Amino acid sequence: MAPIPGSGLAKGLAVTLRTMTKKTVTEQYPDAQPDLPPRTRGVIGLFEENCTVCMLCARECPDWCIYIDSHKETVPAATPGGRERSRNVLDRFAIDFSLCMYCGICIEVCPFDALFWSPEFEYAETDIRDLTHERDKLREWMWTVPAPPALDPGAEEPKEIATARKTAEKLAAARAEPTAPADPQGDES
């Protein structure tokens, strides 16, 4: 059977008419802020107090976009006669977002939870050199990081918490146990 002439045009017009009658889903971005999911990946925030300058994030970054500078500082002994300690002090922590590919490896390898995903996404610059953000800006983004989701109520208790709870219960039981009073006269038989 031969196709009816103009049937393709009629189908195309039908699709166009159906689309024209539907409500649009386009968001007018600068005027209306988008409704983002709660754990959206935007930029990387730095919680500076947790950073020990271990350099794992900079070493594991496939793009080499993390710049860290530090110096060693001597900490006096905590007790008299104790040994002085040295610790690293963070001087500079910067991320070049013009190089970053937002893979999240730096966040995953950080053993001290100093890096987090922030949902901030409005950090465009007119000059590419301004996309290297220093620790002050990364710290500002840290305060926009959402709280972690609540634990699943049906999940198994983490081993660390279970061990700590058991130890605390043993300590409480030991303190609550009444001790036998000592013999006041000191009789030995």
Side-chain angles (χ1 to χ4, degrees):
M1 177 149 111
I4 301 173
S7 65
L9 179 64
K11 286 181 185 177
L13 287 173
V15 170
T16 303
L17 288 173
R18 268 197 314 270
T19 306
M20 284 176 53
T21 58
K22 288 184 182 176
K23 185 180 179 203
T24 61
V25 293
T26 304
E27 293 182 16
Q28 302 300 323
Y29 164 60
D31 302 326
Q33 291 294 319
D35 186 25
L36 299 173
R39 303 297 292 174
T40 300
R41 288 183 172 191
V43 292
I44 297 167
L46 171 69
F47 191 55
E48 200 173 326
E49 287 78 14
N50 286 357
C51 184
T52 60
V53 196
C54 66
M55 305 287 239
L56 275 173
C57 55
R59 281 187 295 211
E60 295 297 324
C61 179
D63 292 330
W64 293 83
C65 64
I66 299 175
Y67 309 111
I68 301 175
D69 292 330
S70 67
H71 69 276
K72 289 206 181 273
E73 192 174 85
T74 304
V75 179
T79 59
R83 194 180 91 185
E84 290 183 339
R85 305 277 179 177
S86 67
R87 68 180 180 108
N88 288 327
V89 177
L90 185 64
D91 292 331
R92 178 179 187 225
F93 193 104
I95 299 176
D96 187 351
F97 285 105
S98 66
L99 296 175
C100 182
M101 64 180 181
Y102 304 93
C103 63
I105 292 174
C106 56
I107 295 168
E108 295 297 322
V109 300
C110 182
F112 301 103
D113 288 334
L115 298 173
F116 295 90
W117 282 115
S118 168
E120 292 294 316
F121 64 94
E122 297 177 310
Y123 57 95
E125 300 288 344
T126 56
D127 189 2
I128 196 168
R129 291 172 290 197
D130 295 334
L131 282 172
T132 301
H133 295 291
E134 299 292 331
R135 69 182 184 184
D136 298 332
K137 187 67 174 175
L138 299 175
R139 184 175 186 74
E140 285 177 29
W141 286 330
M142 182 61 212
W143 307 122
T144 64
V145 172
L151 295 175
D152 182 13
E156 183 178 305
E157 185 178 36
K159 293 176 186 169
E160 298 86 3
I161 294 175
T163 304
R165 186 179 41 76
K166 287 177 185 174
T167 306
E169 287 172 357
K170 286 179 185 176
L171 255 151
R175 287 184 183 155
E177 250 181 44
T179 56
D183 191 13
Q185 296 174 5
D187 287 339
E188 288 184 27
S189 337

